[in-house]
Amino acid sequence: MSQLETTDATPIFVDAKGLKCPMPVIKLQQQARVTRPGSLILIACTDPGAEKDIGSWCKVNKHEILEVKNSEYGCEITVKVQGALQNQTQ
């Protein structure tokens, strides 16, 4: 999932379809940790609570939600990553 080579204008896609709380937020957090500040992440979710959960997570972590679109399967949320890149190994 590492996307250090992605340009800031090209969203990094995270597929969280079929995942229930708290997994969409966890998948987003994992990607945000290895993503360059200023980059965009597009997360696709089927969990009806994902929009609220991701909004809360973004507020706490100072990331910015740019867009929320409804889709045939749920929603797509575009997040702009803020802050410093964390170099973590798991």
Side-chain angles (χ1 to χ4, degrees):
M1 224 181 332
S2 178
Q3 289 293 124
L4 295 178
E5 66 281 347
T6 300
T7 65
D8 291 348
T10 305
I12 299 160
F13 182 73
V14 175
D15 186 357
K17 294 186 296 259
L19 300 178
K20 299 289 184 201
C21 182
M23 291 308 296
V25 172
I26 291 171
K27 298 276 278 185
L28 177 59
Q29 179 175 308
Q30 289 172 336
Q31 183 60 59
R33 284 182 175 162
V34 296
T35 300
R36 193 179 286 130
S39 296
L40 304 180
I41 299 174
L42 172 65
I43 183 165
C45 305
T46 53
D47 182 358
E51 182 179 349
K52 181 180 176 203
D53 295 341
I54 289 171
S56 296
W57 178 83
C58 285
K59 186 175 182 177
V60 166
N61 290 283
K62 300 183 179 16
H63 299 299
E64 180 182 359
I65 292 183
L66 298 179
E67 182 178 37
V68 178
K69 291 192 320 189
N70 290 327
S71 67
E72 66 275 1
Y73 53 79
C75 69
E76 295 179 346
I77 302 169
T78 304
V79 175
K80 183 174 182 181
V81 176
Q82 307 292 341
L85 178 66
Q86 296 178 5
N87 206 2
Q88 299 180 351
T89 56
Q90 295 180 0

